[in-house]
Amino acid sequence: MTDDAAPGLPDLRASDADRERVAEVLRDALAEGRLDMTEFEERLEETYKARTYRELAPITRDLPVAGVVPPPAMSLHKEPLEDGSWAGRIVGGEGSSTWAVAVLSGFQRRGRWTAPRRFNCFAFWGGGEIDLREANFAAGEIEINCVAIMGGVQITVPPGVEVVVRGIGVMGGFDHRETDAPGEPGAPRVVVGGFAFWGGVGIERKKTRAARRQEKLDRKEAKRGLRSSSRDDEGEAGEAHRRVLEGHKDLLHGHGLGQSHGHGAGAAPRQEQRERRHED
């Protein structure tokens, strides 16, 4: 596969979700007999090595379903909303990935991808990760159906999303710790169901790395401002205290000089009187 095979595509960087879409097309082609195992493994390796759309496109050029389409220029730098507004992340349409399988292996759905209305996943002696923190949503509710047999699936949701757990565990379980948090107005709803046998489905709520970095920077800036203000207050208080001490010192010094002159004027005659009495 060379870049010459796809001269019309831009050299834009592809995302993990783009590579997963191509991998799904390859898996379907393998199941349908369009690819043999050797071809599948070769193309899958090229998929995960690809860095641009130009490199991804030729991998599925002879298959009936397009594996990757470059995004419109307007959406290339679209960031997930961090201000509590969810309108820009519920985009409609179809999801970019609707299923995943891990058999003695693993899968990931993370980064910029569109979560579908229903996502099915299966883990057998393997594990999977579904990260919705930077995802867009095809609808206001996503149902994630997990089957974990001697395996596990980890689901990460952003703050503000309502989580409902309906899965059943036999010698396994579904995590219910995040079900108590209410959802924000307009936020999507994540419903987790399925079956776990000697396996588990974990759910955790995390902010994006960018949001955590920004919070850390804000805390550092607040601490610097507090230290600076404290030093200014201490400097002003110290200067006021110094002026008060100098005033007291001047007052005591003046009082001490008066006492010294008074004692000096009366001390000499009394000494002379004592000496004369002694001589008498």
Side-chain angles (χ1 to χ4, degrees):
M1 304 290 176
T2 66
D3 290 352
D4 296 337
L9 287 178
D11 288 319
L12 299 175
R13 303 287 290 189
S15 68
D16 289 340
D18 295 322
R19 284 181 280 272
E20 286 298 335
R21 283 195 291 271
V22 174
E24 285 188 24
V25 173
L26 296 177
R27 294 187 190 103
D28 290 342
L30 176 66
E32 294 167 358
R34 301 180 190 275
L35 297 176
D36 60 28
M37 182 57 70
T38 301
E39 288 178 305
F40 170 75
E41 291 177 350
E42 290 175 352
R43 296 194 187 196
L44 192 64
E45 183 179 359
E46 291 177 2
T47 298
Y48 288 117
K49 286 181 179 179
R51 292 292 176 265
T52 66
Y53 291 107
R54 188 187 298 274
E55 295 171 352
L56 276 177
I59 297 174
T60 56
R61 71 187 185 280
D62 56 349
L63 298 176
V65 180
V68 60
V69 178
M74 291 179 61
S75 64
L76 289 179
H77 303 290
K78 184 176 180 180
E79 297 288 341
L81 301 181
E82 300 288 352
D83 59 357
S85 174
W86 292 92
R89 294 182 64 177
I90 300 177
V91 297
E94 300 296 327
S96 57
S97 177
T98 58
W99 62 275
V101 175
V103 178
L104 279 76
S105 61
F107 68 82
Q108 284 186 335
R109 298 293 185 276
R110 62 187 305 177
R112 308 290 171 78
W113 67 295
T114 301
R117 290 172 172 80
R118 180 179 175 86
F119 186 88
N120 296 306
C121 59
F122 175 75
F124 175 72
W125 277 20
E129 179 185 3
I130 303 171
D131 192 336
L132 300 174
R133 288 177 294 173
E134 297 183 5
N136 290 326
F137 297 83
E141 179 174 299
I142 171 176
E143 181 179 354
I144 302 177
N145 183 55
C146 302
V147 176
I149 300 176
M150 293 182 285
V153 177
Q154 181 65 40
I155 301 172
T156 305
V157 300
V161 170
E162 180 186 2
V163 177
V164 178
V165 178
R166 297 173 180 166
I168 298 172
V170 176
M171 292 185 288
F174 284 72
D175 191 349
H176 287 74
R177 289 176 297 177
E178 299 298 339
T179 57
D180 295 334
E184 294 177 354
R189 186 170 184 247
V190 178
V191 180
V192 181
F195 176 71
F197 176 72
W198 278 17
V201 177
I203 304 170
E204 63 179 346
R205 195 181 302 272
K206 281 185 178 181
K207 294 183 178 181
T208 62
R209 291 193 181 102
R212 294 200 302 270
R213 283 196 299 267
Q214 187 60 48
E215 284 187 351
K216 187 175 180 180
L217 291 174
D218 291 343
R219 285 196 299 268
K220 287 183 177 179
E221 187 64 28
K223 286 181 180 179
R224 281 197 294 267
L226 184 61
R227 285 196 297 265
S228 177
S229 176
S230 177
R231 284 195 297 268
D232 292 342
D233 291 342
E234 289 176 359
E236 292 177 2
E239 180 63 21
H241 185 62
R242 186 183 64 78
R243 289 197 297 268
V244 170
L245 287 179
E246 287 181 352
H248 281 294
K249 190 182 297 183
D250 292 341
L251 180 62
L252 292 173
H253 182 65
H255 183 63
L257 287 176
Q259 287 183 339
S260 175
H261 290 311
H263 286 300
R270 285 197 295 272
Q271 180 66 23
E272 291 176 358
Q273 291 173 5
R274 284 196 297 270
E275 289 178 356
R276 283 197 297 269
R277 284 199 298 271
H278 181 70
E279 290 175 356
D280 295 340

